[in-house]
Amino acid sequence: MRVLGIETSCDETAASVVALDGDGHARILSNIVLSQIEEHAAFGGVVPEIAARAHVEALDGLIEAALADADTSLSDINAVAATAGPGLVGGLIVGLMTAKAIASASGKPLLAINHLEGHALTPRLTDGLAFPYLLLLVSGGHTQIVLVRGVGDYQRWATTIDDALGEAFDKTAKMLGLPYPGGPNVEKAASNGDARRFAFPRPMKGEARPDFSFSGLKTAVRQTATAIAPLSEQDVADICASFQAAVTDALADRVQRALARFATEFPTAACPALVVAGGVAANRPVRSALEKLCADSGFQFVAPPMALCTDNAAMIAWAGIERLRAGLADTGGMDFVPRSRWPLDGASAPVFGSGRRGAKA
Ligand code: KG4
Ligand code: ZN
């Protein structure tokens, strides 16, 4: 079985072909990701309209290259899988319409894939992980803990009530004059800083509600930076280190809570696992705190290779394969309209508001 995957939900244009052999072995035949970071750098963040136009310009060539890399023609594939939400709607339209055109011209089925499902199922592609397991998704757009019970069977256990964690890193970087994308630059600056110099808040730590919150921390960073301005290089390093320590501490508290819940709900799970995904999973202090937490709690720590942890199309093609294999390929097909908001767990209560499109988180 071979599936062509397409991903355009944010600032990466990506195409990939993934194959499932007869013995159940998955192989990534091609995986091309074109980052738009340079196009957005001058603005300090992703500009939706620029992103959509950049996707239009690159996507057809990228798909052609992904097919060529995989030595695959459209007649060899079983289906086209494209991210249909959640994300920036301009980019989603570009990817999904392209996928619909290819599906219609080649007579292959179309699978409209939830981007979060792509992240959620990746450890099965990379590590053959068995259900159920816990997923911690920490990216620029999402901060969630999700129970992954099966294909199409997800339960959101925690989400952010305001900013995503990657967003908090990016905004902190911007406030301190560090370049975009902020996360790696905050981590770099923090390595020369004193994490004890500023006692930033640990949002939600110890609270019964399982969710995340980062906007108060962002405000505390801004107030501190304003109070001691002009900032020396050491000040910036100390703020970054103190911010990163607060984030790591708050995150560990929330994750520990979820691990305990998992252990209670699945007492017979032989080897429970926590999977991390999203760009923030690249952060070394965050990663080692989570590794330690898992080791202390008897959980396996699974971190797919970074290229499959951040946005890519192999995870979308793989989600397509999982759906085909599970008999869940009917996703609405050609009638599917891209959704900027699309919770993975449709039954979860909106965090804010109950509008037709659902909560931001
Ligand atoms: O998963 P990703 O590549 O894209 C999506 O947001 O979907 O995540 C990007 C986010 C950005 O906010 C970036 O600043 C953050 O991940 N990030 C990091 C690090 N590397 C990337 N945050 C903290 N430390 C890092 N080393
Ligand atoms: Zn993502």
Side-chain angles (χ1 to χ4, degrees):
M1 192 192 293
R2 283 183 188 202
V3 170
L4 169 67
I6 296 173
E7 158 65 37
T8 54
S9 67
C10 191
D11 61 342
E12 268 101 18
T13 317
S16 164
V17 178
V18 177
L20 185 70
D21 296 343
D23 60 1
H25 192 73
R27 275 184 305 140
I28 298 174
L29 301 183
S30 64
N31 186 22
I32 306 182
V33 181
L34 183 70
S35 169
Q36 302 175 0
I37 280 181
E38 283 177 17
E39 267 117 315
H40 301 287
F43 305 94
V46 178
V47 183
E49 183 61 16
I50 293 176
R53 285 168 194 268
H55 288 308
V56 171
E57 280 168 18
L59 187 57
D60 55 353
L62 224 74
I63 292 171
E64 206 169 13
L67 288 168
D69 267 14
D71 203 13
T72 297
S73 71
L74 283 179
S75 57
D76 301 327
I77 60 166
N78 296 73
V80 185
T83 302
L88 300 173
V89 82
L92 293 171
I93 290 172
V94 174
L96 189 58
M97 289 309 290
T98 304
K100 284 183 180 178
I102 293 172
S104 138
S106 62
K108 307 290 178 178
L110 172 81
L111 289 117
I113 301 291
N114 184 311
H115 177 87
L116 304 172
E117 178 167 71
H119 282 302
L121 298 177
T122 298
R124 294 170 51 77
L125 167 66
T126 56
D127 295 77
L129 203 62
F131 300 122
Y133 53 87
L134 274 183
L135 170 77
L136 171 69
L137 176 61
V138 274
S139 70
H142 304 280
T143 301
Q144 308 192 348
I145 300 175
V146 177
L147 169 67
V148 183
R149 268 184 308 217
V151 179
D153 186 3
Y154 313 102
Q155 205 179 64
R156 194 184 70 202
W157 279 7
T159 187
T160 179
I161 58 171
D162 40 58
D163 293 348
L165 183 50
E167 196 179 352
F169 268 96
D170 293 338
K171 286 178 177 168
T172 294
K174 204 171 176 177
M175 284 188 271
L176 300 175
L178 297 172
Y180 172 83
N185 288 302
V186 168
E187 182 179 356
K188 204 164 137 213
S191 63
N192 301 314
D194 174 6
R196 284 156 309 176
R197 177 160 164 209
F198 302 105
F200 289 136
R202 271 66 174 155
M204 309 294 282
K205 188 174 175 182
E207 286 192 28
R209 178 179 182 166
D211 296 315
F212 302 91
S213 165
F214 297 106
S215 74
L217 179 55
K218 180 185 66 189
T219 306
V221 168
R222 188 184 328 103
Q223 285 168 343
T224 299
T226 311
I228 64 167
L231 302 176
S232 69
E233 207 172 305
Q234 193 58 54
D235 291 333
V236 169
D238 292 346
I239 293 177
C240 286
S242 303
F243 163 81
Q244 201 171 258
V247 157
T248 305
D249 206 11
L251 193 64
D253 176 75
R254 308 285 75 196
V255 171
Q256 184 159 39
R257 215 175 170 284
L259 298 187
R261 177 173 172 190
F262 188 95
T264 309
E265 292 198 12
F266 300 95
T268 55
C271 189
L274 173 75
V275 179
V276 289
V280 184
N283 186 284
R284 270 154 295 202
V286 164
R287 217 179 165 103
S288 44
L290 294 172
E291 267 169 319
K292 181 171 182 316
L293 203 59
C294 283
D296 293 348
S297 313
F299 271 68
Q300 185 190 350
F301 177 79
V302 181
M306 224 38 231
L308 296 172
C309 226
T310 54
D311 289 351
N312 66 88
M315 70 178 188
I316 303 303
W318 174 250
I321 289 179
E322 288 262 40
R323 284 198 161 265
L324 285 169
R325 191 164 62 167
L328 296 168
D330 184 6
T331 59
M334 301 298 269
D335 294 328
F336 198 100
V337 177
R339 293 181 62 177
S340 57
R341 296 174 188 194
W342 185 8
L344 192 51
D345 173 4
S348 65
V351 178
F352 286 125
S354 51
R356 196 168 55 85
R357 292 191 303 157
K360 179 186 175 199

